[in-house]
Each structure stands twice: as structure tokens, then as C-alpha cells.
């Protein structure tokens, strides 16, 4: 299983933090069987957020997104597991909560796209970039979960 393991970057946005949803989001990823390997609670700087959202810099909503994301604390996390990027995106739901199914994080907790409470990497490449932007290598914890054999064949 270790050869197939990948990591993803998940961040609870300021609206999710303010609404007290951090524990519920962590719970969902843990219950799914993914392993938390890094987490930090911080007030992200505009410089960090501009780098994080660099691919969106030409979009009209970019300045407002950066301003919003720097308006309050965020919970940045790295999760590890088999197909965690793809599965994590499914767990999040669609970017627009109106298109998200019940049972997804956005489907259960969000109404508007501008307050969709969570970010998740959309590919392994972007996950690697985002993880290295938010975390130093020594902040990623490597350990073998005792539940591993009960989650994977």
C-alpha cells in the first residue's frame, strides 16, 4: 500500500473556522481512513495566499479571494492515503455548494460559493506544491498507523 500512498492539502477556510466546523471536517477524513500527517492553525499572510492562488491571479475574483482568506484564521492540513486527492475532492463536494450532494462537506454545510468553507488540492502535483508552500518538510510526521491493516488489504 505504501507505494500507492499520496498526500493532499486540505484547508478549512475562515468561514469554516468561524462556524466551528474544524472538528467535523477532521472527523470525516479520519473516519474515512486517511491519516493526518501535518496540521497548523494560522492567520495566513496575503503573500502566502497570493502564492497559493497564483493560478487564479487573472480571474476577477482573485483580489477578493485573497482578502477573504486573510480575514481570519485557517486550519491547514496534510492528509495521506490511497487516492486521497481524488477521494478528498469527492468528500468536499463541488466548488459551488448548490451543485454538491448531501453527504459531502459542502453539500451539508454550505450555501454560497464564496463561503464554501474548505479547500482541497485538485491533483497530486498541486497537492505537492501546496504542501511545500504551507509546510516545511520537518513538519510532516511519518508514522505507521496501527489501523493500517484494518483499512487496506
Amino acid at each position: 500500500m505504501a507505494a500507492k500512498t499520496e498526500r493532499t492539502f486540505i484547508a478549512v477556510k475562515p468561514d469554516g473556522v468561524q462556524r466551528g466546523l474544524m472538528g467535523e471536517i477532521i472527523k470525516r477524513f479520519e473516519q474515512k481512513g486517511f491519516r493526518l500527517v501535518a496540521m497548523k492553525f494560522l492567520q495566513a499572510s496575503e503573500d502566502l495566499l497570493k502564492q497559493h492562488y497564483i493560478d487564479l491571479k487573472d480571474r476577477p475574483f482573485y483580489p477578493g479571494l485573497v482578502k477573504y482568506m486573510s480575514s481570519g484564521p485557517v486550519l491547514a492540513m496534510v492528509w495521506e492515503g490511497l487516492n486521497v486527492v481524488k477521494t478528498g475532492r469527492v468528500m468536499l463536494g463541488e466548488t459551488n455548494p448548490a451543485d454538491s450532494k448531501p453527504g459531502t462537506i459542502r453539500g451539508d454545510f454550505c450555501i454560497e460559493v464564496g463561503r464554501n468553507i474548505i479547500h482541497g488540492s485538485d491533483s497530486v502535483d498541486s497537492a505537492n506544491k501546496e504542501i511545500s508552500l504551507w509546510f516545511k518538510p520537518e513538519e510532516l510526521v511519518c508514522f505507521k498507523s496501527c489501523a493500517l491493516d484494518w483499512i487496506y488489504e
Side-chain angles (χ1 to χ4, degrees), residues 66-137:
V66 171
K67 183 178 179 187
Y68 168 68
M69 287 294 294
S70 63
S71 71
V74 298
L75 180 66
M77 299 174 282
V78 179
W79 290 91
E80 185 175 80
L82 182 65
N83 297 319
V84 70
V85 173
K86 181 180 178 183
T87 305
R89 294 287 292 189
V90 171
M91 291 170 63
L92 267 57
E94 300 298 321
T95 301
N96 184 346
D99 299 329
S100 296
K101 294 180 179 168
T104 65
I105 292 167
R106 291 175 177 149
D108 289 349
F109 300 114
C110 306
I111 296 172
E112 287 193 303
V113 70
R115 297 293 182 265
N116 67 7
I117 74 168
I118 195 164
H119 166 85
S121 302
D122 60 5
S123 71
V124 173
D125 286 342
S126 65
N128 292 332
K129 289 178 194 169
E130 291 169 353
I131 290 167
S132 67
L133 186 63
W134 290 78
F135 292 92
K136 298 173 188 164

Side-chain angles (χ1 to χ4, degrees), residues 37 48 51 72 74 86 127 146:
V37 297
L48 172 61
Q51 281 297 322
V74 298
K86 181 180 178 183
C146 61

Side-chain angles (χ1 to χ4, degrees), residues 18 38 103:
Q18 292 292 337

Side-chain angles (χ1 to χ4, degrees), residues 27-39:
K27 176 183 171 185
R28 288 184 182 213
F29 277 84
E30 283 184 323
Q31 286 181 332
K32 182 70 176 175
F34 295 128
R35 184 173 52 216
L36 181 65
V37 297
M39 178 169 63

Side-chain angles (χ1 to χ4, degrees), residues 141-153:
V141 178
C142 294
F143 70 102
K144 182 181 179 192
S145 169
C146 61
L148 200 67
D149 294 335
W150 299 107
I151 296 169
Y152 297 104
E153 293 183 273

Side-chain angles (χ1 to χ4, degrees), residues 49-67:
L49 294 164
K50 284 177 181 177
Q51 281 297 322
H52 179 85
Y53 289 112
I54 193 76
D55 294 346
L56 302 174
K57 73 178 187 313
D58 295 327
R59 306 291 294 268
F61 58 83
Y62 176 76
L65 175 62
V66 171
K67 183 178 179 187

